Amino acid sequence: MFLSKKVGFQRKVNILFIMIKENIKKILISTDNNISIVAATKTRSVDEIKQAVAAGIKIIGENYVQEAKKKYESLKGLTQIHLIGHLQKNKVRKAVEIFDMIQTLDSYELAQTIDAESARINKIMPVLIEINSARELQKNGVFGEDLEQFVSNLLEFKNIELMGIMTMGPLDENLENLRKIFKITKNYFDMIAKVYSGLNSWRYLSMGMSNSYNVAIEEGANMIRPGTIIFGER
Ligand SMILES: *Cc1c(COP(=O)(O)O)cnc(C)c1O
C-alpha cells in the first residue's frame, strides 16, 4: 500500500518534470534569442527549478528574499537569480548577497540602502527601476513622469548599476489595455536612453508574464517573466 502510493507520487513528479521541460522548449522556440527569459519561481521547489535550468532557463525570478535565501545554496552557480518582488529596507543586506539583479528599485531611500550594503561587500548591484505604469494606488513603483528626475538622483550611487525598467501592469486587465501600458513604458525606457545617452548599462525592459509576454515583446520588452506557463498553476 505504502509502496504503491509512493510510486504514484514519483510518477506525478516525473510527469511534472516532463511538462516543465516541454513548456520551456515551446517558449524558447517561439521567442527570439535576444529576449531574456526570467522564469518566475515563487512557490516552486528547487527540483522544479533545476528541471527548468536543465531545459535552458538561465535566469530565475524570486519574489521574496526569505524564500530565495532558502533555495540559494542549492541553486547558486546554476542560474542567475533576480529579485522581482518588493524589497523592504531591512532585507537589503541579504538581498545584495544573493541576487544577481534587483528588478524592483522604487525609492531613493531603497537605492541608498542598496548602494551602502553593496559597497560593504564590494559589489556593483545591477538594478531595474520598477515603474508603476498604470498608476495604480496600491502598487509599488515610480510614476513615469518622475522617472527622469529619479534616474538623475541615482547617478551618484557608485555601487548601483542602472540597467533599465521593470513593470508589472494590472493583473486583470485585458490585453489591449495592457498593450497601451507596455507602449507607454517602452516610451519611458527610450526617453531615458536618449536623455542619458552616456548610461551604457541601460538595456533591459522587463515586462510581460504568462498571459501577456507575447504582447510585451511586440511592444518592445527584451526581458519577460513567465511563471505559470512554465510550471503550471500555483
Ligand atoms: C508571479 C510573477 C510573475 C509570473 O506570473 P505568471 O502569471 O505566473 O506568469 C511575473 N512577475 C512577477 C513580478 C511576479 O510576481
Side-chain angles (χ1 to χ4, degrees):
M1 189 59 192
F2 177 68
L3 189 66
S4 70
K5 241 187 182 166
K6 210 173 155 183
V7 168
F9 173 74
Q10 192 54 50
R11 200 178 163 147
K12 260 194 207 154
V13 168
N14 288 340
I15 291 171
L16 173 64
F17 285 176
I18 292 166
M19 182 197 81
I20 290 171
K21 288 192 163 166
E22 289 299 315
N23 289 342
I24 289 168
K25 235 189 264 168
K26 276 185 223 155
I27 297 175
L28 287 175
I29 288 170
S30 67
T31 51
D32 219 73
N33 278 339
N34 59 4
I35 308 287
S36 298
I37 301 169
V38 179
T41 48
K42 57 181 175 272
T43 77
R44 314 299 180 178
S45 70
V46 163
D47 286 339
E48 287 171 277
I49 295 170
K50 281 182 174 168
Q51 294 299 315
V53 170
I57 288 294
K58 297 190 172 65
I59 314 170
I60 65 163
E62 285 282 344
N63 284 65
Y64 306 102
V65 177
Q66 217 46 30
E67 184 180 342
K69 194 177 137 194
K70 284 194 193 123
K71 298 174 184 173
Y72 179 69
E73 281 306 316
S74 321
L75 293 173
K76 68 176 173 190
L78 294 180
T79 171
Q80 274 197 43
I81 310 179
H82 291 192
L83 180 66
I84 61 173
H86 183 62
L87 178 57
Q88 291 166 317
K89 266 200 278 176
N90 63 355
K91 300 269 168 58
V92 170
R93 177 164 294 190
K94 198 74 225 175
V96 301
E97 282 172 16
I98 64 181
F99 291 109
D100 298 292
M101 184 185 282
I102 293 170
Q103 294 205 8
T104 49
L105 176 60
D106 63 356
S107 77
Y108 182 78
E109 292 71 27
L110 183 61
Q112 271 181 317
T113 313
I114 292 172
D115 184 62
E117 292 294 348
S118 301
R120 202 180 61 88
I121 59 168
N122 263 322
K123 180 169 179 174
I124 309 285
M125 189 72 224
V127 304
L128 303 184
I129 297 168
E130 181 172 2
I131 301 286
N132 184 350
S133 45
R135 311 182 55 87
E136 297 166 283
L137 288 180
Q138 74 281 16
K139 280 255 174 75
N140 299 304
V142 177
F143 285 152
E145 69 266 27
D146 299 329
L147 181 63
E148 190 178 337
Q149 183 61 50
F150 188 58
V151 168
S152 154
N153 294 344
L154 297 179
L155 295 176
E156 67 179 89
F157 295 119
K158 300 277 179 292
N159 290 74
I160 285 180
E161 186 175 29
L162 268 184
M163 301 201 76
I165 286 175
M166 157 314 183
T167 200
M168 279 288 282
L171 288 178
D172 53 357
E173 201 66 68
N174 75 52
L175 281 183
E176 285 320 298
N177 287 342
L178 263 180
R179 184 187 294 282
K180 285 183 201 140
I181 285 162
F182 290 155
K183 231 189 243 302
I184 291 168
T185 310
K186 169 73 157 85
N187 283 337
Y188 282 121
F189 177 79
D190 290 343
M191 181 269 287
I192 295 297
K194 205 167 155 194
V195 173
Y196 298 96
S197 54
L199 191 57
N200 295 322
S201 54
W202 191 259
R203 69 181 66 122
Y204 293 119
L205 179 54
S206 169
M207 53 187 193
M209 322 201 299
S210 290
N211 63 346
S212 58
Y213 74 87
N214 283 317
V215 175
I217 290 171
E218 282 165 19
E219 297 306 329
N222 57 17
M223 186 174 264
I224 57 174
R225 308 183 310 272
T228 306
I229 203 173
I230 293 174
F231 300 102
E233 292 293 333
R234 277 181 296 271

